[in-house]
Amino acid sequence: MRSLLFVPADNEKKLEKALASGADALIIDLEDSVALSAKPAARAVASRFIRAQAGRPGPRLIVRVNGLGTGETDADLDAIIPAMPHAVMLPKAEGGMSVQHLGAKMAVREAEGDVADGAIKIIAIASETARGVFQLGTFAGASHRLAALAWGGEDLSADLGAERNRLDDGSYADPYRLVRAMTLLGAAAAGLDPYDSVYTNFRDEAGLRAECEAGRRDGFVAKMAIHPAQVPVINEAFTPSAATIARARAILAAFADNPGLGVVGIDGEMIDLPHVKRAERLLARLDLVRSAHLNDRTVPPA
Ligand code: COA
Ligand code: MG
């Protein structure tokens, strides 16, 4: 997945619109973008919407439930697990224990709803609270469902009592840069996909593009979006370019042609084992993007 578009679950018009956005996944939100009084209706809409899309081509459907401390999570899961979304997104996760906790709740409902055990994945927003930040090294082996870690700069700023999270030039202030990097490291340590946080200024395409480029450079594989206009920018940035692919293939070919070689120079740069691994990972990711987007012309052909 490259792009994941948030859509408030109480807004049927936006849900329909989001289907045509080109996003790889929709995050149907039952949490912060839905008022407490609107949550029961939003659960019903989310469930109906997911069932209506069953078997149709289109984006993967993920539901962001309310956090485990809210008292709302069980009602969320009761409504949406039987509809079989692709994944449940857990906000304000605090380490592997919180994922296990959610996984247990999901397993019960899968069993009751005749859904195969473990069929529904978990994506954790892992660093929205200071407590969560200190648990970022605990996700390895937490659950066979856990597929990805995301980070969130908005809730974290609220937890820290900060005035804002970005500097005047648009870049993140130190606490968020640290947490962004730590989430990336936590995901890699646990063998999970890292997803970059949202860019809230949805009219600033250049700023979004720059942040996507920086995310991909550092190892994020996807970015979350809040507005349909952000989706094409994210998809393009997180699809490996033809030049990047060609270079990865050249690196692998150089080593394949010379078994026993440890290091080689390509275009004036030293290439050894870490570069080979990087090239292999890039091509593996391209295969994943391609298999999920057979009709997407932005994805380079095999
Ligand atoms: N998904 C689907 N459609 C969306 C959308 C979204 N996330 N965001 C905007 N749209 C639609 C609007 O409904 C509007 O449709 P219309 O032309 O048929 O009326 C169109 O795109 C243009 O929207 P625009 O006027 O530019 O923005 P807005 O002021 O209507 O909405 C937000 C701004 C921020 C409220 C809206 O983008 C949104 O709801 N984002 C998701 C918020 C969310 O889920 N947050 C939680 C995670 S951080
Ligand atoms: Mg939030």
Side-chain angles (χ1 to χ4, degrees), residues 6 29 31-33 64 91-92 125 128 152 154-156:
F6 273 108
D29 188 27
E31 199 216 12
D32 287 346
S33 70
R64 182 166 74 171
K92 285 129 190 145
I125 316 185
E128 288 188 301
E154 307 308 313
D155 281 278
L156 183 62

Side-chain angles (χ1 to χ4, degrees), residues 19-45:
L19 280 177
S21 67
D24 295 341
L26 307 186
I27 306 170
I28 304 168
D29 188 27
L30 293 172
E31 199 216 12
D32 287 346
S33 70
V34 177
L36 190 59
S37 59
K39 291 195 196 283
R43 290 179 187 117
V45 171

Side-chain angles (χ1 to χ4, degrees), residues 2 6 30 58 70 86 94-95 107 158 175 187 219-220 235 277 286 288 292:
R2 303 161 298 177
F6 273 108
L30 293 172
T70 61
H86 171 71
E94 293 184 342
F220 286 99
N235 281 351
K277 284 190 183 158
L286 181 66
L288 277 181

Side-chain angles (χ1 to χ4, degrees), residues 104-115:
K105 288 177 180 292
M106 289 168 63
V108 172
R109 285 154 177 101
E110 281 175 347
E112 286 171 358
D114 246 355
V115 176

